[in-house]
Amino acid sequence: MTPTMLRQLWSLVEKTQASTLVTLDDASLVQCLLKQFNKEAAINGKEADLLTDYICSRISLIRDMAEARLSGEASA
């Protein structure tokens, strides 16, 4: 996976509603991010597989970041 793809993915995570990131089950979260990523940058099957594996390995971090955003919004 290229550094550009990584930046695009994490930018996408930041733009996605935090409530969506914490409420979807793992498979739905992966599919949601993949679908959104593919809208911004067309990717081939191999890149989609790499991205899927990467997202799966970072699900906990993605949810933690989303929960931190939600708790930050609640205290603001």
Side-chain angles (χ1 to χ4, degrees):
M1 186 159 25
T2 67
T4 301
M5 286 178 69
L6 286 173
R7 281 193 299 275
Q8 288 174 314
L9 174 65
W10 288 107
S11 174
L12 182 62
V13 168
E14 286 295 317
K15 289 190 289 187
T16 304
Q17 294 237 344
S19 57
T20 300
L21 296 174
V22 297
T23 56
L24 292 175
D25 62 71
D26 289 356
S28 297
L29 176 57
V30 171
Q31 288 306 310
C32 175
L33 291 173
L34 268 178
K35 184 185 289 186
Q36 289 182 53
F37 191 96
N38 208 22
K39 284 181 187 175
E40 292 184 7
I43 54 175
N44 63 36
K46 183 177 180 181
E47 290 169 329
D49 290 344
L50 287 170
L51 201 52
T52 297
D53 291 344
Y54 182 79
I55 294 169
C56 287
S57 71
R58 299 299 190 272
I59 291 255
S60 295
L61 177 59
I62 292 168
R63 290 192 195 283
D64 288 348
M65 290 172 62
E67 287 173 3
R69 284 175 26 209
L70 286 173
S71 64
E73 290 170 5
S75 63

